[in-house]
Amino acid sequence: MPRTKKSDTNLNLSAKTYWSKTTEVVSLEFVLKPVANSDLYAQYTIGLHAWLLHQIQGIDPELSAYMHDGESEKPFSLTGLDGQFISQSQSLQLQKNKRYRWRVSSLCKPVTQGLVTWLRQLPNEIVLKNTPLLIESVNLAQPPTTYAKLLRQGQMGEGSVSLSFHSPTSFRRKGHHLPLPWPPNVFHSYLRRWNHFAKKPVNQDDFLDWVDTYVILTQHQIATEKVAVGKRGSVTGFTGAVTYALDRRGITERPFVAMFYALTQLAPYCGTGHKTTFGLGETQLGWHTAQASPQMPTQQRLLAERMDELTEIFLSTKKRQGGRRAIDTAETWATILARREMGDSLQEIADDMELAYETAKTYSKLARRVMRELGEME
């Protein structure tokens, strides 16, 4: 479903300056046009992720490596494509010459300044598999800012705050996914980024205790969705909108109140939850339920369900091993086999999962052998 809100500023890509050199946080929206009708394959956000890092590698290999490997927190986020799709049985089809929007956000100064260099030599198109998407324009999706400015905005905040989640959003909890907008999880997600990239970190335990006690979820309209995302496995997440309010007893803690509002301002840049560099957790300020349940390709849901099914089958053969290694192996085999069943080539799968082709080939053979032994394959 297309957004009705347009970007604030269309960048002049021939300009010498796009934003101040002090800018730390920025969000860009690319307007793209397919040159032909084409299916949007289930895990296309992996392609967007890889394309962006390859582009940055061309201008700054060290920066690309930092964005890819980084430290505990990724210094960027990106969304999936947003626009008008044609439903084609199990998939969605991009329409020729229709406009689609894609957002990329930077959360630290090195990446923000790297984007400046990249934009000055921006290519004319993005290629997803064999589908070229012409880059029609680049807009500022959110105002360029700094963490200090966000904190000043937070100090002026008041009243309730609504957030809308436009792509499946989830949190890691005890080895599982938590598809609920519970305040401590939501604000822990933002605080992790803040403490990693801002110059003035906040005591995590004290702030989250305050959130748990005084931040109230007053309204929500959410739904859950299982998706295949990232290099392997599936995620169960929620989409929709929620409203948070503050208990009157909590407003005496003014530094925490200011941080609460500052983090909601950060949310549209960093996204919410995990796998935000693969399109999950896209977040906007305000209540936008009409836009908060985008079309999800049936193929993507079926792929996620098949991955889960195969993971359980492979885990059942590894009961003696147990532990994280057995789970990782089962998820890897399941991802490869499920994608092969969907028609993806082994080379594409190896590239997306960052595996050597021969390694992916070996895993595929082992997975198929197990399935044959269990009588699950012809």
Side-chain angles (χ1 to χ4, degrees):
M1 187 173 293
R3 295 191 185 96
T4 55
K5 182 180 178 181
K6 295 183 179 180
S7 302
D8 295 324
T9 306
N10 190 311
L11 285 184
N12 176 3
L13 295 180
S14 63
K16 293 182 178 180
T17 303
Y18 305 133
W19 45 74
S20 166
K21 289 185 178 180
T22 62
T23 297
E24 296 171 306
V25 185
V26 69
S27 184
L28 302 174
E29 182 173 85
F30 294 77
V31 179
L32 311 173
K33 288 175 63 176
V35 298
N37 292 350
S38 59
D39 286 342
L40 189 62
Y41 65 100
Q43 292 188 293
Y44 75 93
T45 56
I46 296 179
L48 291 172
H49 177 104
W51 181 84
L52 176 64
L53 293 184
H54 181 73
Q55 288 290 307
I56 300 300
Q57 185 180 41
I59 62 164
D60 190 337
E62 289 186 7
L63 180 61
S64 178
Y66 168 61
M67 293 171 67
H68 182 273
D69 303 319
E71 300 175 39
S72 59
E73 299 299 330
K74 296 296 184 183
F76 73 103
S77 68
L78 60 81
T79 70
L81 299 179
D82 184 51
Q84 294 182 343
F85 301 94
I86 300 174
S87 294
Q88 291 284 100
S89 62
Q90 293 184 359
S91 65
L92 295 179
Q93 189 177 77
L94 296 168
Q95 298 183 64
K96 178 181 179 181
N97 293 328
K98 290 288 186 180
R99 290 177 175 82
Y100 296 86
R101 301 178 188 278
W102 176 53
R103 291 190 177 188
V104 175
S105 299
S106 166
L107 305 178
C108 65
K109 189 181 291 185
V111 176
T112 296
Q113 291 305 113
L115 291 178
V116 171
T117 304
W118 174 54
L119 289 173
R120 288 176 180 152
Q121 46 191 288
L122 188 69
N124 295 323
E125 63 182 20
I126 295 174
V127 179
L128 287 177
K129 285 193 175 178
N130 297 320
T131 303
L133 303 172
L134 299 180
I135 300 175
E136 185 176 82
S137 64
V138 183
N139 310 314
L140 287 172
Q142 301 289 333
T145 190
T146 65
Y147 288 96
K149 288 180 181 178
L150 291 174
L151 185 56
R152 288 197 293 272
Q153 288 178 262
Q155 291 166 346
M156 296 184 289
E158 59 181 3
S160 61
V161 174
S162 294
L163 296 173
S164 297
F165 305 93
H166 294 270
S167 63
T169 303
S170 187
F171 309 96
R172 295 185 182 91
R173 185 176 185 273
K174 298 183 178 180
H176 299 281
H177 300 130
L178 178 66
L180 289 171
W182 195 241
N185 296 93
V186 170
F187 285 91
H188 182 210
S189 169
Y190 307 145
L191 185 66
R192 289 199 331 264
R193 277 88 161 187
W194 183 282
N195 279 351
H196 192 81
F197 297 113
K199 295 177 182 178
K200 292 186 177 181
V202 175
N203 185 287
Q204 177 175 293
D205 292 339
D206 290 347
F207 177 72
L208 293 179
D209 284 345
W210 177 85
V211 168
D212 196 26
T213 304
Y214 299 115
V215 176
I216 308 162
L217 201 164
T218 60
Q219 185 180 12
H220 72 79
Q221 184 176 329
I222 62 173
T224 56
E225 184 79 42
K226 180 174 286 188
V227 291
V229 70
K231 297 172 187 175
R232 68 181 181 201
S234 64
V235 170
T236 300
F238 66 89
T239 57
V242 301
T243 298
Y244 299 107
L246 297 181
D247 186 300
R248 288 191 298 272
R249 295 170 296 172
I251 61 176
T252 58
E253 298 284 348
R254 295 306 303 173
F256 287 164
V257 172
M259 182 55 56
F260 166 79
Y261 288 111
L263 292 179
T264 61
Q265 296 294 318
L266 178 64
Y269 299 91
C270 68
T272 307
H274 66 142
K275 295 191 182 295
T276 53
T277 59
F278 289 98
L280 292 194
E282 181 184 355
T283 308
Q284 287 191 8
L285 280 171
W287 185 279
H288 307 294
T289 54
Q291 302 171 22
S293 299
Q295 293 172 292
M296 190 65 62
T298 303
Q299 186 182 49
Q300 191 175 75
R301 176 176 54 79
L302 293 175
L303 178 60
E305 291 174 352
R306 182 57 172 160
M307 284 179 179
D308 281 357
E309 179 185 8
L310 290 172
T311 298
E312 291 302 316
I313 290 173
F314 294 139
L315 279 175
S316 70
T317 69
K318 300 177 180 295
K319 288 182 178 179
R320 292 182 181 179
Q321 291 178 304
R324 185 68 246 178
R325 184 175 180 181
I327 295 172
D328 289 346
T329 300
E331 288 181 344
T332 300
W333 289 11
T335 299
I336 292 172
L337 188 54
R339 289 190 58 181
R340 289 291 285 145
E341 291 174 351
M342 285 282 186
D344 288 348
S345 73
L346 201 54
Q347 186 64 63
E348 289 173 339
I349 297 169
D351 291 344
D352 286 346
M353 298 182 71
E354 298 183 340
L355 296 172
Y357 175 81
E358 290 301 323
T359 300
K361 184 177 179 180
T362 299
Y363 288 162
S364 179
K365 288 181 177 179
L366 291 171
R368 288 178 178 276
R369 180 186 303 168
V370 169
M371 296 297 284
R372 283 196 296 270
E373 290 173 353
L374 294 174
E376 297 285 345
M377 293 183 68
E378 293 295 331

